[in-house]
Amino acid sequence: MKTIPKIPLGNNGPLVSKLGLGCMRMSPVWGRGGSDENESIATIQQALDSGINFLNTGDFYGSGHNEMLIGKAIKGRRDDAFISVKFGAVFYGGQMLGLDLRPMSIKNYINYSLVRLGIDTIDLYQPCRLDNSVPVEDVIGTVADLIKEGKVRYLGVSEITADQLRKANAIHPVAALEIGYSLADRQIETDLLPAARDLGIAVVAFANTAEGLLTGDMKAPLPKDAYQLHFSRFQGSNLTKNLEKVEVLKQMAQQKGCTPTQLAIAWVNTQGEHIMPLVSMSRRTRLPENMEAMGITFTPEELDLLNTHFAPGAILGGTYLQR
Ligand SMILES: NC(=O)c1ccc[n+]([C@@H]2O[C@H](COP(=O)([O-])OP(=O)(O)OC[C@H]3O[C@@H](n4cnc5c(N)ncnc54)[C@H](OP(=O)(O)O)[C@@H]3O)[C@@H](O)[C@H]2O)c1
């Protein structure tokens, strides 16, 4: 299997694998999903064995279930893993009620996260979003205090604007920005990506397959119970037109002897040294395919073709990323 290279997480940051393992879909979130627990643990362990050390979770993924899974998987091999945890989302009954980013709450969250993970220090700790309910200084300042106390190693942020990124980084150095990015969702190229690059902040890019659109497996119309139907991108004529775009990816994959998902991951990977594809994999069978994707390169002609067909805005309708 391919070896995954390591990159520094931000300027002078710790070395992490250039491919990250997203653990979210191993647990129920939004009242759906979750996978076989033994298979999830085996997937995490095989990822670690293969040199993927970056594990991504949130304390609200499965109400702590996801952290407990990771805790079981890393037992006895803490040093093999770099653990990234998001906090701040309040869920009840599969619905997100809002954010609670009060310093008092953050100090409460981290105690529970450390116990569930079975560790003393979280490597990367990040608010899942920022809002105006609590001053940014207080949110970031609280994580900075946790770093001083030794409960956290590095500060991360997620799903924020370029202005918020600059503000957060001015309060305490931000090591990584977690954000949705794919051929289908390129809105961050305007100002957020350049800001991260200027500030020397690594980009942990999730949703590379755009909720499965770019896997090449989707057919219109989607089954009535498909969660993607909540998003306009997957409804009616939008989906039909979007799947026509995906044909280009399928043809290129066939010519290159790979899969559309591999191309979707490879495209994100080749956008920069500081950009890490963060991919959900809930079973071991996903690992070889997605790891191989990290070795795929594009000719200038192939990149032109992809950039033309998947120009920013070419995919019709949005998902939760277009807020
Ligand atoms: N900061 C945030 O706001 C935020 C939001 C969403 C997600 N995240 C993080 O980012 C990670 C990735 O995000 P995501 O799950 O939305 O996007 P994703 O990585 O594009 O995954 C979407 C789906 O693609 C499937 N998949 C993976 N490899 C595949 C392959 N080779 N062929 C076909 N399908 C494949 C996965 O299936 P299986 O699960 O069945 O393997 C998953 O259901 C999450 O796990 C989470 O840790 C962060």
Side-chain angles (χ1 to χ4, degrees):
M1 240 192 298
K2 171 144 187 62
T3 317
I4 301 300
K6 297 270 191 302
I7 54 164
L9 196 72
N11 279 347
N12 311 314
L15 284 183
V16 293
S17 49
K18 185 136 190 329
L19 175 65
L21 176 65
C23 299
M24 176 182 78
R25 292 179 195 261
M26 296 174 182
S27 303
V29 189
W30 301 105
R32 60 166 193 266
S35 316
D36 175 78
E37 184 158 326
N38 290 332
E39 182 58 26
S40 297
I41 291 171
T43 305
I44 296 170
Q45 291 175 333
Q46 189 167 312
L48 295 176
D49 292 341
S50 313
I52 298 176
N53 71 343
F54 190 97
L55 307 180
N56 183 268
T57 184
D59 60 11
F60 46 90
Y61 289 173
S63 308
H65 173 264
N66 208 248
E67 289 178 319
M68 289 195 285
L69 264 186
I70 294 178
K72 287 179 193 166
I74 63 165
K75 202 168 167 53
R77 56 185 307 184
R78 166 70 183 99
D79 293 344
D80 292 344
F82 183 92
I83 299 171
S84 153
V85 180
K86 287 180 293 297
F87 63 82
V90 178
F91 274 81
Y92 186 75
Q95 298 298 318
M96 185 166 158
L97 303 183
L99 291 178
D100 181 355
L101 297 169
R102 292 172 297 164
M104 177 179 79
S105 302
I106 299 172
K107 287 182 174 161
N108 185 48
Y109 298 143
I110 192 153
N111 285 333
Y112 285 83
S113 287
L114 290 170
V115 170
R116 287 187 292 248
L117 287 159
I119 59 179
D120 301 322
T121 309
I122 289 173
D123 297 305
L124 186 69
Y125 201 47
Q126 42 194 16
C128 65
R129 309 268 184 280
L130 290 172
D131 65 8
N132 295 322
S133 63
V134 178
V136 180
E137 289 80 359
D138 292 354
V139 180
I140 301 301
T142 305
V143 180
D145 288 346
L146 294 173
I147 292 173
K148 276 192 216 118
E149 282 180 49
K151 290 185 185 234
V152 170
R153 289 175 67 205
Y154 297 96
L155 166 72
V157 289
S158 165
E159 285 284 289
I160 63 174
T161 65
D163 286 345
Q164 288 172 319
L165 184 65
R166 285 193 197 89
K167 192 163 182 189
N169 191 62
I171 299 164
H172 186 92
V174 174
L177 160 70
E178 189 176 312
I179 195 85
Y181 189 39
S182 75
L183 277 166
D185 290 291
R186 302 181 57 175
Q187 56 275 18
I188 65 168
E189 290 175 2
T190 320
D191 52 4
L192 198 48
L193 269 190
R197 200 168 30 239
D198 288 351
L199 298 169
I201 294 170
V203 175
V204 177
F206 64 85
N208 295 185
T209 69
E211 306 299 328
L213 177 70
L214 303 176
T215 60
D217 297 334
M218 219 173 238
K219 291 187 178 52
L222 296 184
K224 287 196 171 54
D225 60 350
Y227 77 90
Q228 289 97 333
L229 284 171
H230 291 295
F231 306 129
S232 59
R233 174 170 299 174
F234 299 98
Q235 298 164 0
S237 62
N238 277 356
L239 179 60
T240 313
K241 289 186 183 132
N242 291 336
L243 288 176
E244 283 166 18
K245 298 269 174 205
V246 176
E247 283 303 314
V248 174
L249 204 61
K250 284 166 91 170
Q251 279 165 20
M252 188 182 288
Q254 202 171 19
Q255 283 158 9
K256 288 173 81 74
C258 62
T259 66
T261 303
Q262 286 181 313
L263 290 188
I265 295 170
W267 182 84
V268 173
N269 182 39
T270 52
Q271 296 312 299
E273 287 297 309
H274 64 299
I275 298 181
M276 169 205 290
L278 172 66
V279 184
S280 275
M281 291 175 259
S282 307
R283 35 197 143 128
R284 281 168 287 177
T285 49
R286 298 279 194 220
L287 278 163
E289 180 181 339
N290 294 350
M291 288 173 68
E292 288 297 329
M294 299 297 285
I296 295 176
T297 53
F298 298 98
T299 64
E301 293 74 25
E302 288 168 341
L303 274 182
D304 276 353
L305 189 71
L306 289 179
N307 286 328
T308 306
H309 281 274
F310 293 95
I315 293 296
L316 303 177
T319 65
Y320 68 95
L321 292 177
Q322 285 74 25
R323 266 184 286 269

